[in-house]
Amino acid sequence: MGLLRTIALIVLGISFLVFVLFFGRLPALRRTPIATLHNIFFIRIPHGLVALDEAVTGRRLTRSLARFIDFMMNDRHPTVVIFFLALLAGGEFLYLPTAWPMMSTWHRVAGTIAVVLPYLFLYLAVMADPGYITPENHAYYMSLYPYDYSIFYPGQHCRTCGFLKPPRSKHCSICKRCIAKLDHHCIFINGCVGYGNHHWFLLLLLSTAVLTSYGALLGFSLLSDLIASRHPAWSLWPPRGMPMSQYLVTWTRGLQDNVCMGAVSLLATMTSPLVWGLLAYTVWLIYCGTTTNESLKWSDWKDDMDDGLAFKRRMSPDRTRDPRVESTWTRWPLGTQQVLVRTDDGMPPGPGGPGEGQWDRVWNIKDVENLYDMGFWDNLMDVFVRDYSFGSSREQPAVEGEVRIRKAPKPSCF
Ligand SMILES: [Zn+2]
Ligand SMILES: [Zn+2]
């Protein structure tokens, strides 16, 4: 029991730290205990250790560690991919020899599919072009989305690549390239999640979430069967008349007798909520018609609105677009109808600039529309189908740049 409990506690501790590391900086969790813990574990404690090293070795230790961390964090290397693969393969190697002979044909078929799919989607997510912007495809990526004049404005160049930044794109400092519709740089696939591989990333999360849940449920049900072969009165739920303490002790013995499958089932149980959480967050972003990168920009806007520094005004949808800085045609069925700007002094912007009419101060993010939110179904299709043509916008516009379908503008989620 001692060893099993230690393993369980270590796994639980690591899972929790990973959860805090991944979720602690999300704008949606600002001002929650998760963000506070992130601040303590990943900012304050490291700073304290640096101060200690300064006093003891004159920062020698920190400098070499910083070089190592800089390489680990800011360069492309497959360490986490290898770790992820080792965890998958190692878990299956320990689990299957006990489980396979006890599995029904149905579970053998379903189990094989559940085991294979994460490898397949990981391969596809890693190998697919995430949407690297090149001189050849730059015009194409310029025509995918319009500028919304809120979080993406025309006329901005990438300082490294020299390109005019297409709407929704971002330069990745780790990949050292500009990526179309960048969501985030993902260490689990050793590359960016962007326009070209977002769907594979989503399927990788879904298949891994299913695998961990399925493995945990099947593992505990098989363990229960093994225990039942020794204790005829046993059942998965506490049998009638059996005290809780005896039920738990019997479970522990069952786990000890099948320690490999038991440990992997426990690991799967503990990691499963993390994967489902990551999947739910990714789906929620799609539901909101945004990306991780854009959610950070919206979050900044929210702070500026709280400070009274944000102003918006109307943008005529049939305005003429300047072909030097933006594509005159995009496949997106809507054009922006608002311009959002921030001022440093809290006074309305001066004359000139894009848009028309008077400037209104914006206090609430709900008063701002998110041009890229077309409703959950269309947002999802845009992730899965390359060059998705929106159902109601198949007819070509009579006038170039005309708004073809009018949905009620959706406010930003943040
Ligand atoms: Zn770039
Ligand atoms: Zn990247």
Side-chain angles (χ1 to χ4, degrees):
M1 179 58 196
L3 178 67
L4 199 66
R5 198 172 60 182
T6 315
I7 293 175
L9 282 175
I10 291 174
V11 169
L12 195 67
I14 293 176
S15 309
F16 184 70
L17 275 182
V18 171
F19 178 84
V20 170
L21 177 65
F22 276 97
F23 287 77
R25 277 173 55 203
L26 294 182
L29 292 178
R30 255 184 209 177
R31 299 187 196 96
T32 66
I34 301 292
T36 313
L37 283 173
H38 183 275
N39 188 24
I40 293 171
F41 283 134
F42 298 101
I43 296 169
R44 295 219 182 152
I45 293 181
H47 279 182
L49 291 175
V50 168
L52 187 71
D53 184 44
E54 170 98 62
V56 179
T57 72
R59 280 203 169 207
R60 251 198 311 242
L61 213 65
T62 331
R63 258 189 238 119
S64 47
L65 190 68
R67 265 197 300 274
F68 176 69
I69 292 178
D70 186 55
F71 169 74
M72 293 302 280
M73 303 296 288
N74 298 324
D75 263 308
R76 286 186 76 181
H77 54 83
T79 316
V80 181
V81 182
I82 292 168
F83 172 76
F84 179 49
L85 279 171
L87 208 61
L88 274 180
E92 286 149 10
F93 179 75
L94 292 173
Y95 182 99
L96 285 173
T98 315
W100 188 261
M102 299 171 66
M103 285 161 66
S104 66
T105 311
W106 193 92
H107 276 303
R108 285 181 181 178
V109 174
T112 306
I113 296 171
V115 163
V116 168
L117 285 184
Y119 290 110
L120 176 69
F121 293 136
L122 177 66
Y123 174 79
L124 292 167
V126 170
M127 298 309 285
D129 172 1
Y132 293 131
I133 296 170
T134 63
E136 290 73 37
N137 64 27
H138 182 258
Y140 163 72
Y141 283 127
M142 287 292 284
S143 72
L144 274 185
Y145 301 97
Y147 289 101
D148 68 348
Y149 285 78
S150 300
I151 51 175
F152 295 103
Y153 303 85
Q156 298 186 338
H157 287 81
C158 171
R159 267 174 289 162
T160 313
C161 311
F163 293 125
L164 198 57
K165 286 183 177 178
R168 310 193 81 178
S169 72
K170 187 179 186 290
H171 181 85
C172 172
S173 58
I174 300 171
C175 297
K176 299 172 180 65
R177 311 274 294 266
C178 270
I179 319 282
K181 199 194 179 191
L182 177 78
D183 191 278
H184 68 291
H185 181 91
C186 175
I187 50 175
F188 282 94
I189 67 167
N190 188 27
C192 272
V193 176
Y195 185 73
N197 63 349
H198 200 170
H199 54 302
W200 296 131
F201 176 72
L202 196 69
L203 290 171
L204 170 64
L205 280 178
L206 179 64
S207 59
T208 311
V210 168
L211 177 69
T212 50
S213 306
Y214 184 39
L217 288 172
L218 184 69
F220 282 112
S221 114
L222 293 178
L223 278 175
S224 174
D225 290 348
L226 284 169
I227 298 171
S229 63
R230 292 202 195 160
H231 305 269
W234 175 257
S235 69
L236 191 55
W237 301 111
R240 237 181 250 172
M242 184 184 275
M244 202 47 167
S245 56
Q246 194 191 338
Y247 176 72
L248 291 176
V249 167
T250 316
W251 258 127
T252 312
R253 291 226 181 94
L255 279 168
Q256 272 177 307
D257 292 344
N258 305 277
V259 74
C260 292
M261 190 173 79
V264 175
S265 302
L266 270 181
L267 180 70
T269 310
M270 288 183 236
T271 48
S272 192
L274 185 74
V275 190
W276 282 109
L278 217 51
L279 176 67
Y281 180 69
T282 308
V283 172
W284 182 66
L285 286 179
I286 294 172
Y287 167 79
C288 291
T290 188
T291 61
T292 308
N293 171 44
E294 291 164 20
S295 78
L296 296 169
K297 289 175 184 279
W298 283 121
S299 183
D300 288 345
W301 265 122
K302 212 170 159 182
D303 289 344
D304 288 330
M305 285 173 194
D306 288 345
D307 295 339
L309 304 177
F311 293 86
K312 74 167 183 178
R313 70 173 172 180
R314 226 175 29 243
M315 170 75 103
S316 168
D318 50 11
R319 73 201 163 86
T320 44
R321 299 180 187 194
D322 181 352
R324 285 167 304 174
V325 290
E326 59 184 319
S327 183
T328 51
W329 179 88
T330 68
R331 107 208 126 110
W332 203 246
L334 285 173
T336 188
Q337 292 170 50
Q338 81 187 8
V339 182
L340 194 59
V341 295
R342 61 170 61 81
T343 61
D344 292 330
D345 53 5
M347 298 300 287
E356 57 192 23
Q358 75 172 65
W359 291 99
D360 294 318
R361 198 189 303 267
V362 191
W363 290 107
N364 193 328
I365 196 90
K366 299 276 178 275
D367 297 331
V368 174
E369 69 177 81
N370 176 11
L371 178 64
Y372 306 123
D373 183 5
M374 298 297 293
F376 183 54
W377 179 251
D378 279 336
N379 294 348
L380 194 66
M381 285 296 103
D382 189 40
V383 167
F384 274 89
V385 183
R386 201 174 176 85
D387 302 325
Y388 174 63
S389 98
F390 292 84
S392 31
S393 63
R394 286 213 181 90
E395 306 148 39
Q396 285 301 303
V399 182
E400 198 170 87
E402 183 198 13
V403 176
R404 279 162 276 164
I405 57 168
R406 268 188 195 280
K407 291 193 170 192
K410 286 197 170 37
S412 163
C413 287
F414 294 90

